[in-house]
Amino acid sequence: MATPELVNTNLQQLVAAAADLCRKPLRHAVLPLGAAQHLDDCCLRLEARQPDGIRCPEEDLELEIYRSGDALNLNLAWSEDQERPLLWHGNHPVWMDPASGERCERPPDGAPLEALARRLRALLLPLD
C-alpha cells in the first residue's frame, strides 16, 4: 500500500469533476473540511451551483473518505438537511437513516449520489 497522499487541489478537482458528471446540470466546488488530511481519512464539502452560477446550498454535500481495514469507504450526506438519508458506500451502497443509523430505502433523488460514490471509489482506489 502506498503512503497516503495529502488532500490537495488535484483531489478536489477530481471530486468536483465526478460530481459535475454525476449530478448534472449542477456544478461543484470542493472544499476541505478541517486541517490538511490524508486521502484515506478526509472530509470534503461539495458546494453546488446551477449552470448560471446561482448557489444551491440545499444541494450541497459532505463527503467523508475513510479506510476501514484494507477497504476504502465513502459517506455522502446532504449538508443542509440532516434528516435526509445518508449514503455509505463500501463494496456496495447502503442508505441509512441519519438519526437511527438503520438501513432505509434509497431516496427518490439518491441515484446520482450512488453513481458519484461508485465513480469516486473507482477513481480513488488506484491512488490507494
Side-chain angles (χ1 to χ4, degrees):
M1 176 166 63
T3 304
E5 299 293 323
L6 284 177
V7 173
N8 59 30
T9 56
N10 290 337
L11 175 62
Q12 290 169 247
Q13 290 171 351
L14 181 131
V15 171
D20 289 351
L21 180 65
C22 295
R23 300 184 73 209
K24 288 182 181 179
L26 297 173
R27 304 283 299 165
H28 298 81
V30 178
L31 307 168
L33 293 174
Q37 303 164 48
H38 293 278
L39 172 62
D40 62 354
D41 185 19
C42 70
C43 293
L44 303 170
R45 181 177 178 92
L46 286 68
E47 293 187 346
R49 293 186 182 276
Q50 291 293 336
D52 60 6
I54 296 173
R55 278 280 289 122
C56 301
E58 69 280 2
E59 294 293 337
D60 288 357
L61 299 172
E62 289 185 11
L63 168 64
E64 180 183 7
I65 303 169
Y66 65 95
R67 182 165 303 288
S68 178
D70 289 334
L72 190 65
N73 298 290
L74 307 174
N75 281 338
L76 276 168
W78 280 272
S79 301
E80 297 296 316
D81 190 349
Q82 303 299 318
E83 296 192 15
R84 290 180 80 178
L86 61 93
L87 172 63
W88 171 85
H89 200 294
N91 292 326
H92 60 278
V94 176
W95 286 94
M96 297 184 300
D97 178 273
S100 68
E102 292 180 11
R103 193 176 194 149
C104 64
E105 292 295 316
R106 177 176 76 188
D109 56 353
L113 270 64
E114 288 184 15
L116 175 58
R118 280 191 307 274
R119 180 168 294 278
L120 288 173
R121 277 185 43 86
L123 291 169
L124 295 175
L125 284 175
L127 302 177
D128 199 11

